[in-house]
Amino acid sequence: MRIAIDIDDTLTQVDRVTVTERYLQERGLKYNLVNPDAHALKELYDWPREEFTKFMKSGGDKLFLTAPIRKGAKETIEKWKAAGHEIIFLTARISEWFDDSVNDSRRQLDDNNIPYDEVVADVWEKGEYCVEHGIDILIEDNFEICKKAQELGVKAIMFVDKHNLAHAKEIKYAGSNWERIASAVEFIIKPPRPRY
């Protein structure tokens, strides 16, 4: 199987509020926290795009590049790799915010000893990418991306967290931890035999 995995909020757990709050305080900026569980930086505060772009360019990318790996992710991916599955990290990290989104991501994976075959960055239409590149399974936390991938016939597994909980039942496969993600992948690879 070819398995594509998102990095931010899927492989890792990103705490956007702590770092952005410090950034705003240090600069005396008075934006209001709108949604502490927001997945997108633009929805976190009532700040303009220019401001969160400044945040990213002034070291905010470290928020994502140093985020801790979720419990069980490394071990699960190691098992898949050992079983002969191809691991592709597929991220929407854009060059506007990261100096070198592919190599920055590779360094993060290497620093955490996460095995992989390929890293692809700056891809928002992940379902289309999976179809075009013969990827069987997509593990992703963004509901819209999972929904589109699922509609295209890709086996999407949504990593469930606060920002997407309301949509968890709209995606066929979902899990709130890596043990459940591993179970979903196992079910896709070896579906149970029908009972007669």
Side-chain angles (χ1 to χ4, degrees), residues 137-138 146-147 149-150 154-158 171-174:
I137 298 171
L138 171 64
C146 286
K147 183 180 171 192
Q150 188 172 264
V154 176
K155 302 284 193 258
I157 303 172
M158 187 167 76
I171 303 301
K172 184 173 182 179
Y173 305 103

Side-chain angles (χ1 to χ4, degrees), residues 14-47 51-56 58-64:
V14 181
D15 174 8
R16 289 166 175 76
V17 176
T18 304
V19 176
T20 54
E21 192 70 31
R22 186 171 48 242
Y23 167 86
L24 295 173
Q25 285 175 355
E26 287 172 357
R27 286 157 181 77
L29 299 171
K30 305 288 184 197
Y31 297 109
N32 296 309
L33 182 61
V34 176
N35 181 1
D37 298 324
H39 181 252
L41 279 176
K42 66 182 176 182
E43 297 167 4
L44 198 61
Y45 295 93
D46 58 355
W47 56 355
E51 196 59 57
F52 61 79
T53 297
K54 278 185 202 172
F55 162 73
M56 289 298 291
S58 66
D61 58 340
K62 304 298 181 278
L63 164 69
F64 298 93

Side-chain angles (χ1 to χ4, degrees), residues 1-5 10 76 80 85 136-140 146 150 154-160 168 171-192:
M1 288 277 186
R2 301 190 79 213
I3 303 171
I5 306 168
T10 301
T76 300
W80 293 340
H85 301 295
D136 305 289
I137 298 171
L138 171 64
I139 304 168
E140 167 70 50
C146 286
Q150 188 172 264
V154 176
K155 302 284 193 258
I157 303 172
M158 187 167 76
F159 195 102
V160 178
I171 303 301
K172 184 173 182 179
Y173 305 103
S176 58
N177 58 48
W178 271 85
E179 185 178 330
R180 290 186 175 162
I181 297 297
S183 293
V185 169
E186 185 68 23
F187 184 87
I188 292 167
I189 293 171
K190 296 178 188 173

Side-chain angles (χ1 to χ4, degrees), residues 64-83:
F64 298 93
L65 297 172
T66 62
I69 304 298
R70 288 187 184 271
K71 181 181 176 192
K74 179 181 179 227
E75 296 80 6
T76 300
I77 295 165
E78 286 172 340
K79 285 178 188 172
W80 293 340
K81 191 80 177 98

